[in-house]
Amino acid sequence: MIETKLTNKNKSVSIRRDAPTVMIGERINPTGRKEVLAALEAGDFESVRRDALAQVEAGATVLDINAGVPGADETILLEKIIREVMSVTDVPLCIDTANPKALEAALKFYEGKPLVNSVNGEEKSLEAVLPLVKEYGAAVIGLCIDSHGIPASPEERLAVAEKIIGRAAQLGIPIEDIVIDPLAMAMSADHKAGWVTLETIKLIVQEFGVNVTMGASNVSFGLPDRKYVNAAYIAMAIQAGLTCPITNPLVTEISAAVLAADMALGKDEFSMRWIKAYRKRNKGAGEKR
Amino acid sequence: MSDMKEIFQAVLEGDRETTVTLVQAAVDSGVVANDILQNGLIAAMLEVGHQFEEGEYYVPEMLISARAMQGALDILKPLLVKAGVEPIGKVIIGTVKGDLHDIGKNLVAMMLEGAGFKIQDLGIDVAPETFVEAIRNDPNVDIVGLSALLTTTMPSMDATIKAIDEAGLRGKVKIMVGGAPVTSNYSQRIKADGYAPDAGQAVTLAKSLLGEKSVHQ
């Protein structure tokens, strides 16, 4: 069984298909969240610390950190956010940047083994990111995308995954340090998009057995009642082989669906994780009784 | 006029088959193509945009309405050309360099087409030079629409506007920007001519930019 191990100074997380799903908290990201963008632009890190704590409290065991603020120096801001987050929690981090300079600076001071988000099948990306992953002993997310864009079919996406895994192997990066993202796309724009992603996950698991991540909430873009779509979809994706979704654990429907899916797949002994999460959610009500 | 009401309704419901049948019947019975376009199709797409703005309509509903309109346009286009009906303006649109997201850009393109604009869609991951070339090659272009979904690709909007400026083409076109992380504030900072928060309001914006443009020329 392939195991991807992520660590921070004091904590380690193991991602594997026979263990409970690892939720990577998505909220520390100014894209699509105008209030985060505004706070970061104003140099206000209180909301970042609050978001970090709340997500860990809600079950995230890894946090994604994205510092993409237009006009800001990403290298400086990324480091600042990481330090702020580490001042309140010690979960391993997923360093989310398209900027190799910012990535290297973050890898330099990060103590432990982070997840790098991300590399893709384009030459430019492979050449810039993989050597850094190797040098700093990180794990990396490989996006099933290349210079031709986002492949339409599961087979073509698998081919991109194969290319990334192969190039990483040439540099001596072990397969367990590659986490593949099959790309979750909006079903509102293409009604087959959800299915293509599920099929891609199955192929990747069959072919390589590697861990699989994705921005699971993308599938519901443009639809009403997104949380129900997200909850059903994430459970199906876990069944297909998704092991570490990047998602919002504060949405109860999503975190409950993840726990229920794990239970259904025999990954929750005596249903204790499910029961504990229920108690936590209903703590206020219990105290009143 | 009851024909128009039915066409309007069919487009609003995204029923392509009915739309095409009704439009063909209207044409056959001698209704002027431009009347069908204005009072049936454009009016319906305006309503679709309005419903979307209000949060009543969702992305798939816009897509099927646009598809119904396209079906009707296939019938009307040759007739409009023959009658000398011109588009109300020409828009070049694209997702900026480094960004592969296309849903928002496609919706805006469809809504603008539904409002009577002629659209040239440059696609995704469009380099500033490509926008510059497209503007240079087309003397009739009125508006350039730039889309970005990522905070990290928003600077490509800035770069594109600067490139248009440096190429000496800034006076020739109005530039509008949009996309999830884009704000009115950012639009002003990079000296775009306007920002719209969604595809429905992009139509209103494009029309007002067109008005400004004709006043200045």
Side-chain angles (χ1 to χ4, degrees):
Chain A
M1 180 67 58
I2 283 184
E3 177 184 36
T4 308
K5 216 171 160 190
L6 304 178
T7 64
N8 202 336
K9 214 160 94 189
N10 303 311
K11 216 170 230 170
S12 96
V13 169
S14 160
I15 309 169
R16 41 190 294 158
R17 201 154 278 109
D18 59 357
T21 303
V22 167
M23 276 196 286
I24 303 174
E26 73 181 6
R27 289 174 57 83
I28 302 175
N29 186 342
T31 286
R33 291 191 66 206
K34 283 181 179 164
E35 71 282 8
V36 175
L37 185 58
L40 290 177
E41 276 176 337
D44 166 19
F45 293 91
E46 177 54 32
S47 69
V48 164
R49 289 191 295 267
R50 239 193 347 253
D51 258 334
L53 274 179
Q55 291 185 96
V56 171
E57 184 69 13
T61 48
V62 177
L63 294 178
D64 186 86
I65 310 290
N66 181 305
V69 173
D73 184 329
E74 200 181 346
T75 305
I76 294 170
L77 190 58
L78 184 63
E79 172 165 352
K80 175 80 179 137
I81 296 176
I82 290 176
R83 290 197 189 279
E84 291 288 340
V85 168
M86 292 198 312
S87 75
V88 293
T89 176
D90 52 7
V91 300
L93 302 181
C94 176
I95 302 170
D96 185 356
T97 175
N99 176 342
K101 269 204 192 101
L103 174 61
E104 178 158 28
L107 289 170
K108 236 173 217 160
F109 77 84
Y110 185 91
E111 293 175 65
K113 179 177 178 178
L115 182 60
V116 170
N117 187 7
S118 57
V119 69
N120 64 51
E122 275 187 83
E123 276 311 310
K124 209 177 106 194
S125 170
L126 293 165
E127 282 164 18
V129 178
L130 290 181
L132 292 175
V133 169
K134 170 65 183 168
E135 184 179 347
Y136 292 92
V140 64
I141 294 173
L143 299 184
C144 292
I145 194 168
D146 63 13
S147 50
H148 306 295
I150 298 165
S153 76
E155 292 76 17
E156 292 165 292
R157 291 191 196 179
L158 179 75
V160 179
E162 186 170 8
K163 181 180 181 187
I164 294 169
I165 291 169
R167 288 292 287 273
Q170 281 173 19
L171 291 176
I173 301 168
I175 193 164
E176 62 264 27
D177 285 342
I178 311 290
V179 176
I180 295 295
D181 182 340
L183 299 178
M185 309 289 290
M187 299 191 287
S188 63
D190 172 5
H191 71 285
K192 289 276 194 184
W195 176 85
V196 166
T197 302
L198 292 176
E199 286 304 305
T200 307
I201 296 175
K202 288 183 204 164
L203 286 181
I204 286 162
V205 172
Q206 222 174 56
E207 202 68 29
F208 303 112
V210 291
N211 280 305
V212 174
T213 184
M214 64 185 187
S217 314
N218 287 353
V219 290
S220 62
F221 173 83
L223 296 172
D225 269 349
R226 292 185 64 175
K227 59 192 178 192
Y228 300 122
V229 179
N230 290 342
Y233 193 78
I234 207 167
M236 293 174 73
I238 289 169
Q239 150 84 341
L242 173 70
T243 50
C244 48
I246 301 180
T247 189
N248 181 0
L250 300 186
V251 178
T252 305
E253 284 80 357
I254 293 175
S255 42
V258 168
L259 287 166
D262 282 351
M263 192 160 52
L265 293 170
K267 300 181 193 180
D268 187 5
E269 226 177 323
F270 296 103
S271 308
M272 289 313 291
R273 297 178 79 243
W274 177 260
I275 294 169
K276 272 188 186 144
Y278 166 78
R279 289 231 169 88
K280 209 169 187 179
R281 283 201 299 275
N282 294 280
K283 214 163 144 195
E287 278 162 3
K288 266 180 227 152
R289 249 185 279 145
Chain B
M1 205 54 214
S2 81
D3 284 357
M4 288 308 132
K5 240 185 204 156
E6 283 175 32
I7 290 170
F8 177 92
Q9 196 58 31
V11 172
L12 202 59
E13 286 168 13
D15 183 343
R16 177 165 58 179
E17 213 173 309
T18 305
T19 305
V20 167
T21 309
L22 289 170
V23 166
Q24 189 63 58
V27 167
D28 292 346
S29 71
V31 183
V32 176
N34 198 33
D35 284 350
I36 303 175
L37 178 71
Q38 298 298 333
N39 303 324
L41 307 182
I42 290 180
M45 288 309 285
L46 266 178
E47 179 59 19
V48 169
H50 179 67
Q51 295 285 346
F52 187 71
E53 261 175 70
E54 295 292 312
E56 292 295 326
Y57 260 36
Y58 298 96
V59 168
E61 295 175 300
M62 286 182 100
L63 293 176
I64 58 170
S65 286
R67 192 181 61 169
M69 181 201 67
Q70 282 297 341
L73 277 182
D74 287 345
I75 299 170
L76 295 182
K77 259 183 192 160
L79 300 171
L80 292 168
V81 170
K82 212 188 276 172
V85 177
E86 299 280 342
I88 63 171
K90 163 93 192 264
V91 180
I92 288 177
I93 194 168
T95 304
V96 294
K97 191 171 171 57
D99 203 318
L100 304 174
H101 294 86
D102 68 351
I103 298 175
K105 182 262 297 168
N106 291 347
L107 289 176
V108 171
M110 284 170 195
M111 293 307 294
L112 288 175
E113 184 163 33
F117 284 90
K118 185 172 179 354
I119 307 296
Q120 183 184 356
D121 186 347
L122 300 179
I124 56 174
D125 192 14
V126 180
E129 311 85 75
T130 312
F131 279 105
V132 167
E133 273 313 293
I135 299 166
R136 196 174 272 145
N137 291 338
D138 189 340
N140 296 319
V141 56
D142 300 296
I143 295 172
V144 176
L146 306 179
S147 170
L149 192 84
L150 302 174
T151 50
T152 47
T153 54
M154 281 162 67
S156 294
M157 289 181 155
D158 190 14
T160 305
I161 293 177
K162 286 204 173 96
I164 293 170
D165 205 357
E166 277 159 22
L169 299 167
R170 191 64 177 87
K172 195 182 155 194
V173 292
K174 292 284 176 187
I175 300 176
M176 54 192 269
V177 296
V182 182
T183 59
S184 175
N185 218 332
Y186 184 74
S187 151
Q188 285 164 17
R189 215 191 301 163
I190 63 173
K191 302 193 174 66
D193 295 301
Y195 155 81
D198 64 51
Q201 292 176 62
V203 172
T204 317
L205 173 64
K207 283 183 175 165
S208 93
L209 290 178
L210 204 60
E212 281 176 33
K213 201 171 171 260
S214 55
V215 168
H216 288 293
Q217 277 173 354

